[in-house]
Structure formats: C-alpha cells, structure tokens
Amino acid sequence: MDSAVLTVTELSVQLKHTLDAHFSQVIVQGEISGYKQHVSGHHYFSLKDDKNVIDGVCWKGTSLKMVLKDGMQVLCQGRVSVYGARSKYQLLVSHIQEQGKGVLLEQLERLKAKLQLEGVFSQKRSLPLFPQHLGILTSPTGAVIQDMLDRCKARWPCRITVFPIQVQGGRVTEDVLQGLRFFHALCEEERPEILIIARGGGSIEDLWGFQEEILVRGVASSLIPTVSAIGHETDTTLIDYAADLRAPTPTAAIELVLPNRQELLKRLAGAGQRIQNYGDTFLELCTIKYKNLYQRYHGFDRYPQEPLMQDLDNLWDKICYGIKRGLEKKRTEFLRIEAKIHQKWGDTRWADTQISVWKDRLVHNIKTQIRQKEEALHWMAHRLKASSYKKILARGFTLAQTESGSLLTSALLVNSGQSIKLVWHDGVRTGRLD
C-alpha cells in the first residue's frame, strides 16, 4: 500500500477543496423535494430528477424571489461542496429561478383527477366500533410497529396480525397488494375486521410507492375496511383518498379504530347511574303528584268515601311497587351486562348502542306507566267527587249526626233531650230534641 494514509477528516477536506475548485459555479435544474425552513432561517431541500437526488442549502439572507415548496421545478445556481460531518456533497445555492410545476406532482394531480372522476374515492364504509382483530401492513422492524402495538395494548387489547412489507423502494406497491390478497384469502373467522397500511414520514420519493394507480384501486376495492396511516400529518398519498379512513400518523390510526376501554367503563358506569337517577326522579315526581291529588280530595268527609279513599291508597301502593320492581329488574339486567363486558371484551360490540336503546326504552316505559297511573288516579278522583254526599245535600237533604260526629241512620238511635247536629250543604246547626 504505497498511498499515504489519510484520516477521515483529511479526506473530507481534500474532497471539499476539489469540489470547490472544479464546481465553484454551476446551474442545476431539478424538482424541489423535502423542503424545510429551519428556525435559524436557512433553507434545506433536495433537488431531483427522475434518477438522482442532490441535497441543496440556501443560507439565511439569500435573496429569494419566490416561496419555496415541494414540487417546484427550478434552476439553482451555486457551488458544490462537501458537508464533512455527514460525508455528503451538496449544492450551496445563491440564486433560484422557478421553471414550472414539478413533473411528479403534475402526474399525481392528473391521476387523482382521473380516479376521482371514476368514483374510486367515493365509496367509504364505517368501521366496526369494537374490533377484535386488526391486520397491519408495515415494516416488521422499527419504531412504527412497536408504537402501534404499545398503543393497542394500552387502549383495547386485541389480536393483531402483521404482514411485513417494504415501506420504501421499488417493492412497496407489490408488497402491499400481496398483503391485501393474503388477508382476503383467509377464512371469515380468521379475517381481520380492519386493515391498517402504515409507515413513518418521508419525502415524496419515499412515499411514491403508495401513489401507484394499481395500489390505489386495490385499496379502494378491498372487502375489508382499510385505514391509511402513511407518513406524518402533512404527508398525503393517493391511498389516503382510496381508504375508508385516513389517519394522520400510524399511532393515531390505533386511536381512531380502537376504543379506550377505561373511558368505556366510565361511560358504562355513568349510564347506569343516570338510569337509576332518572327512575328515582320519576318516582319522586309521581309521589308528589299523588300527594297533591290526595290533599285536593281529602277534604271530603269520610263516611260515604271511605271505600274509595282506601281504593286510592291501594292503587298508589301498586304504582310504587310496580315502578320499584321495574327499576330493580332493569338495574339487575344492567349489572349483568356490565359484568359480561368485564369478563369478555369481545361482547361489547353492541354495548354503546344497546345502552342508549335500553335507556330510551326504560324512560318510555316509565313515562307510559306514570301516564296510565295518573289517568287512573284522575278517574278515581272524578268518581270520588261525583259520589260526594254534598251533591245529595244540595238537592235539599239533611245529614243527622251526634255531637261526636257519628252518623244517625235511624230514629231509634235518637233519645229525647239528646243533642244532635244537622248538616246542610251550606252549613251545620246543632240542637236538642224534645
């Protein structure tokens, strides 16, 4: 080995001097991708054509005549240099001139418009509320799948089948299509209820495999509801429009498709308490109405109405017993359902809807019972009023009583010199018999 031994830094410095000397002033045409303006004010991006990519840097203070963004076709003037810390060559840009819209974005817009016109993006299905089996198409290694599994375990533990795919490069489209075929080929008992296609963020080139027309159509025609979780929130791919649901990130996809079991338990407990409180309130209102009716008609003297008053009391006892028994029955049924949910999460698919329906049905039944009982009470009160002895007294009859109030129903019950009380419809007089 005759050549002098160089350190990495020495080699990097020599390369930098060589590039600075031979590429001190170049003009490069390309499409901006992965643009980002740093908090320092510097602009970082990539310039690309259909085969290669070079990093570009535009320092703070450089005069720019346009707002840079991904997809712009530009002419960049500057010099080529080396960033030694990463052993990468890059273009230090001093002037930028726009050349038109990026070829890739133009191609995507045309394809998007074509598919939209065909109605490929219009068929959206609702996802099951409580899925027990998820299928995830993503890289089996890395932070994405681990974060998704952790989030699933924390929210709603369920079965997960991972189909490994390449998330970048030339095999992305075929891998995802193969995964879709795999899941659809499973028998109904083994087939996931939801499919999630996931990967982390990246440039338009990194995500290009998820833009292919054949894949977009494959996702749209999936018999299993699909969720697209590609990239970060600002990243958009065509399968986002084809999927039944688009998630801003892979972990957000788990939060969107899986319920929070702790929150569900709180809602169940709250619903049970509200039902109990609702029943108690109705019972209390019924009690108040009964007391008002009772006080309204209690002013009648006892004698002719005693059987009716007793009937009224018996009727009230039946109302209270019926309502309490109905509430207790519903409470027992609720506790049974709640226990079933605790034992097996798989049976909660209909829980939210069932509780709402059950509550509405219970409220309707209680209202119907109270309305019927009120009608019966009003009928009894009307009958009580119609049979009042005061109506008979108003026609000219008189009621004879002893001083103590006992009813005198026969002349044989009255002795000479005895004090009696005579009751008319408009007053009472007392006297002594001769």
Side-chain angles (χ1 to χ4, degrees):
M1 186 179 294
D2 298 331
S3 301
V5 177
L6 301 175
T7 65
V8 173
T9 301
E10 290 172 340
L11 176 60
S12 180
V13 170
Q14 290 188 22
L15 289 173
K16 185 178 188 306
H17 289 330
T18 301
L19 290 173
D20 288 344
H22 293 84
F23 298 93
S24 60
Q25 198 61 241
V26 296
I27 299 177
V28 182
Q29 177 180 339
E31 182 180 328
I32 291 180
S33 175
Y35 170 73
K36 179 179 67 175
Q37 183 175 9
H38 198 271
V39 292
S40 63
H42 306 315
H43 304 269
Y44 296 93
F45 53 88
S46 296
L47 275 181
K48 63 182 180 62
D49 55 22
D50 57 346
K51 294 182 179 179
N52 292 284
V53 179
I54 183 174
D55 288 341
V57 180
C58 191
W59 302 123
K60 178 183 178 181
T62 303
S63 178
L64 299 177
K65 297 182 180 180
M66 80 284 289
V67 177
L68 301 182
K69 58 183 180 179
D70 288 354
M72 292 178 64
Q73 196 76 17
V74 295
L75 291 178
C76 293
Q77 182 178 353
R79 62 187 177 87
V80 180
S81 185
V82 170
Y83 179 39
R86 295 184 180 175
S87 299
K88 296 179 66 175
Y89 68 89
Q90 58 190 8
L91 181 64
L92 305 181
V93 180
S94 57
H95 295 89
I96 299 182
Q97 178 181 344
E98 187 174 6
Q99 290 294 295
K101 193 174 182 181
V103 176
L104 287 180
L105 287 183
E106 229 176 62
Q107 180 181 341
L108 280 180
E109 288 300 324
R110 287 197 301 269
L111 179 57
K112 178 182 175 183
K114 171 188 172 183
L115 296 174
Q116 197 162 18
L117 186 62
E118 294 179 14
V120 174
F121 303 146
S122 61
Q123 299 178 358
K124 304 296 181 184
R125 292 164 296 183
S126 59
L127 275 60
L129 293 175
F130 303 97
Q132 296 304 297
H133 186 187
L134 299 182
I136 301 180
L137 295 85
T138 190
S139 172
T141 61
V144 169
I145 184 60
Q146 192 57 53
D147 290 344
M148 296 178 74
L149 294 176
D150 291 343
R151 190 60 56 91
C152 174
K153 183 178 179 180
R155 289 182 65 86
W156 185 266
C158 65
R159 179 183 174 187
I160 290 182
T161 302
V162 178
F163 187 89
I165 64 170
Q166 285 189 8
V167 293
Q168 184 173 333
R171 286 197 53 83
V172 171
T173 300
E174 180 54 37
D175 280 3
V176 176
L177 288 173
Q178 186 177 351
L180 292 176
R181 289 192 292 267
F182 167 78
F183 285 117
H184 282 82
L186 297 175
C187 62
E188 188 173 352
E189 292 76 14
E190 293 295 319
R191 187 178 298 173
E193 297 160 85
I194 299 174
L195 295 181
I196 302 176
I197 305 171
R199 70 146 283 162
S203 65
I204 188 173
E205 299 83 20
D206 297 336
L207 305 180
W208 189 255
F210 299 96
Q211 314 273 24
E212 296 290 347
E213 180 177 356
I214 186 174
L215 177 56
V216 177
R217 293 185 182 277
V219 171
S221 62
S222 172
L223 300 178
I224 306 173
T226 57
V227 177
S228 174
I230 307 299
H232 299 306
E233 189 166 359
T234 55
D235 297 324
T236 303
T237 63
L238 290 184
I239 70 168
D240 292 338
Y241 300 99
D244 296 292
L245 177 68
R246 186 231 175 197
T249 63
T251 50
I254 296 297
E255 295 179 351
L256 289 172
V257 303
L258 294 182
N260 188 323
R261 56 178 176 176
Q262 297 300 328
E263 182 64 27
L264 179 62
L265 286 175
K266 291 180 181 178
R267 290 176 63 186
L268 286 172
Q273 187 60 50
R274 287 194 298 273
I275 291 174
Q276 181 65 42
N277 293 342
Y278 202 82
D280 292 343
T281 301
F282 265 107
L283 188 60
E284 183 178 352
L285 290 175
C286 191
T287 302
I288 294 173
K289 289 184 178 182
Y290 168 78
K291 288 181 178 179
N292 290 338
L293 285 172
Y294 187 85
Q295 291 173 1
R296 183 183 303 173
Y297 299 112
H298 191 63
F300 296 133
D301 289 329
R302 296 181 309 235
Y303 305 108
Q305 286 77 29
E306 281 180 349
L308 290 176
M309 296 301 294
Q310 187 173 355
D311 290 343
L312 195 63
D313 289 340
N314 292 336
L315 179 61
W316 170 247
D317 291 340
K318 291 180 181 179
I319 292 175
C320 290
Y321 175 75
I323 292 178
K324 287 181 179 179
R325 183 179 179 185
L327 287 175
E328 189 61 34
K329 183 178 179 181
K330 294 299 181 183
R331 179 175 177 81
T332 302
E333 183 179 351
F334 177 84
L335 293 175
R336 180 183 61 79
I337 294 175
E338 186 179 36
K340 193 173 183 181
I341 291 173
H342 279 286
Q343 292 173 0
K344 186 175 181 182
W345 295 105
D347 290 334
T348 61
R349 181 171 305 186
W350 44 266
D352 236 7
T353 304
Q354 182 66 22
I355 287 176
S356 178
V357 172
W358 178 44
K359 183 183 73 173
D360 293 341
R361 188 182 303 162
L362 176 61
V363 170
H364 174 74
N365 290 342
I366 291 177
K367 286 182 177 179
T368 301
Q369 289 184 26
I370 291 179
R371 184 172 63 252
Q372 292 173 347
K373 301 308 180 185
E374 280 184 341
E375 291 175 355
L377 284 173
H378 283 296
W379 179 81
M380 293 290 290
H382 175 74
R383 183 180 165 195
L384 182 66
K385 185 175 181 180
S387 61
S388 173
Y389 71 94
K390 290 186 177 181
K391 288 185 176 291
I392 299 174
L393 296 181
R395 296 203 300 269
F397 293 92
T398 303
L399 184 67
Q401 296 178 334
T402 64
E403 286 186 325
S404 62
S406 299
L407 189 65
L408 295 173
T409 59
S410 173
L412 299 177
L413 299 176
V414 183
N415 301 317
S416 298
Q418 181 179 348
S419 295
I420 63 172
K421 181 167 59 174
L422 298 177
V423 181
W424 285 270
H425 73 96
D426 56 353
V428 179
R429 293 289 185 271
T430 58
R432 187 181 300 276
L433 294 177
D434 294 333

